[in-house]
Amino acid sequence: MRVPEDKIEAYYDALSAFWHPVARSADLVESPLGVRLLDRRLVLARLEGEAVAFEDLCRHLGAALSIGDVVEGCHLRCRYHGWSYDRTGRCVDIPARRGRPIPREAKVRRFHTREAYGIVWVCLAGEPQHDIPPFPEYRDEEFHKGPLRTYGPWRASVPRVVMAALDDTHFPWVHPGILGDPSQPDPPEHEVWREDGRLLSTYTMLQPDNDTVASGEDRPALEKVTYTNHLTPTSIRLVKESAAGTYVIWQASSPISWDETLVFSYQARTFDRGADRDPDYERLQDEIQEQDRPVVESQRPWLLPPLSSRMMLYIRPADLPLISYQKWLEELGIPQQL
Ligand code: FES
Ligand SMILES: [Fe+2]
């Protein structure tokens, strides 16, 4: 199914007002890094200690600055003819023109950049209109945090990826024996509401025994768990309460393009707090992601179709969280695809 260019452009426009994760802070050290966001090539660099994002395009003859060098920790130098840019994006050295003024137009476009949770975030709009997706457990000592991980890129749009984490009625089908039990396909009762510009949903269900829901001896085959999901249009934080304690998955999706999504993810837990246990939790998460991936990548159309089109036949009450999320995107003017 072809996607009209104007729909893609409108989608990029709408998402450009949000902060998007683009790289690990730890990866931005001595060399520049080329990344893609909303199909735009960006170069990231750490200049004078600050993470900066520029258009990945030298003002001289258009070479990619991401294949250049960071010089003395403060300038980004193009590999082609050595033009150097400071952290504001202004050209400060043209080796073939030394001793003469540098043209005023010799600068590259700089985008808003921030660092939070060990991640570099970029907003492409003139003024960011939203916050970075909150992750309160990051600094909460009650929680042990696993390492930052990335998944993908998946061949799917961001809303499809977020909805895969929001939707629980697929658990018995896609994650049998881990998150759901095929003998119990009845959906839980969902509550969905808005708060402080975010969407929240909660539900209680029975989940098969695994490390994230139970601990100790004599674990029951099925454990009662309550999820509370906190959403922004591009991220989800799943807070799961169970006999084991509180287990959190935080996922921020980066729209590399309209049909490619890279996920930055953390796990946090109040129990089983040893870092030596992290690989077991990572393996579980990897398995779940790999079960989701082929299904999500198979979904069409790539961007969500408008609710009014009835191209997706939601059922109530099971799909209430998905319907609410999609309605919310429509209210926010995030375009859909027919
Ligand atoms: S293209 Fe970058 S210095 Fe010439
Ligand atoms: Fe899933």
Side-chain angles (χ1 to χ4, degrees):
M1 188 182 288
R2 275 182 59 80
V3 185
E5 288 292 319
D6 62 326
K7 288 280 181 238
I8 295 175
E9 280 312 312
Y11 176 76
Y12 289 164
D13 273 359
L15 286 193
S16 68
F18 293 86
W19 288 101
H20 300 291
V22 289
R24 296 163 188 260
S25 286
D27 288 344
L28 201 56
V29 194
E30 280 160 12
S31 307
L33 212 58
V35 297
R36 217 151 37 93
L37 178 62
L38 298 174
D39 225 4
R40 191 187 271 272
R41 288 196 314 168
L42 303 177
V43 54
L44 308 177
R46 192 171 293 288
L47 303 180
E48 296 179 54
E50 186 190 347
V52 299
F54 299 142
E55 191 110 52
D56 192 8
L57 190 77
C58 179
R59 191 69 173 86
H60 183 213
L61 299 187
L65 291 169
S66 53
I67 58 168
D69 297 293
V70 173
V71 184
E72 291 171 0
C74 59
H75 294 142
L76 177 58
R77 187 173 64 198
C78 180
R79 182 154 152 194
Y80 208 177
H81 313 91
W83 288 30
S84 286
Y85 299 89
D86 69 9
R87 68 192 172 92
T88 69
R90 203 166 52 91
C91 180
V92 292
D93 185 31
I94 299 181
R97 196 182 151 90
R98 287 209 173 117
R100 284 196 278 158
I102 290 171
R104 237 182 323 156
E105 304 86 348
K107 56 183 184 211
V108 286
R109 180 156 174 207
R110 184 186 157 152
F111 298 99
H112 296 286
T113 314
R114 278 178 56 187
E115 285 182 272
Y117 320 132
I119 297 171
V120 181
W121 300 78
V122 171
C123 174
L124 296 178
E127 270 317 311
Q129 279 160 29
H130 306 272
D131 295 332
I132 287 175
F135 181 26
E137 291 80 11
Y138 188 73
R139 295 208 183 284
D140 186 338
E141 305 233 312
E142 205 193 325
F143 285 84
H144 166 78
K145 264 79 59 192
L148 172 62
R149 314 202 62 216
T150 55
Y151 291 100
W154 286 13
R155 282 298 312 271
S157 68
V158 160
R160 294 282 195 190
V161 172
V162 173
M163 285 167 95
L166 174 62
D167 174 49
D168 54 89
T169 60
H170 75 281
F171 287 179
W173 302 101
V174 180
H175 313 296
I178 304 178
L179 297 179
D181 177 0
S183 71
Q184 316 238 0
D186 288 347
E189 253 183 63
H190 301 106
E191 251 183 85
V192 185
W193 71 103
R194 308 254 189 107
E195 201 177 291
D196 297 333
R198 313 228 151 76
L199 185 76
L200 286 96
S201 77
T202 188
Y203 54 90
T204 297
M205 69 190 308
L206 291 174
Q207 205 159 76
D209 173 30
N210 70 63
D211 284 344
T212 69
V213 299
S215 53
E217 305 290 309
D218 296 329
R219 298 164 161 195
L222 290 171
E223 188 70 59
K224 197 159 125 181
V225 303
T226 299
Y227 280 87
T228 307
N229 299 328
H230 305 246
L231 288 105
T232 71
T234 59
S235 77
I236 182 165
R237 178 165 61 95
L238 302 109
V239 180
K240 180 159 76 176
E241 311 278 354
S242 70
T246 307
Y247 178 75
V248 175
I249 293 184
W250 178 89
Q251 274 185 202
S253 300
S254 188
I256 292 179
S257 68
W258 59 281
D259 62 351
E260 293 164 278
T261 298
L262 179 65
V263 175
F264 290 75
S265 174
Y266 277 106
Q267 303 183 40
R269 56 188 189 269
T270 56
F271 53 93
D272 215 1
R273 296 168 47 98
D276 57 322
R277 293 281 287 129
D278 286 341
D280 295 319
Y281 286 90
E282 286 169 14
R283 262 192 298 278
L284 183 67
Q285 201 48 34
D286 288 354
E287 188 179 350
I288 292 168
Q289 295 273 340
E290 276 317 303
Q291 289 173 333
D292 280 325
R293 181 180 176 136
V295 181
V296 175
E297 291 189 336
S298 78
Q299 287 181 288
R300 297 291 182 278
W302 296 94
L303 300 177
L304 299 174
L307 273 174
S308 59
S309 72
R310 292 184 53 82
M311 280 174 75
M312 297 200 294
L313 203 54
Y314 284 126
I315 50 164
R316 285 173 187 271
D319 294 332
L320 178 67
L322 306 181
I323 299 166
S324 307
Y325 171 74
Q326 202 183 337
K327 256 195 195 143
W328 188 42
L329 294 189
E330 291 193 356
E331 281 174 36
L332 287 166
I334 297 175
Q336 327 274 303
Q337 173 192 342
L338 252 187

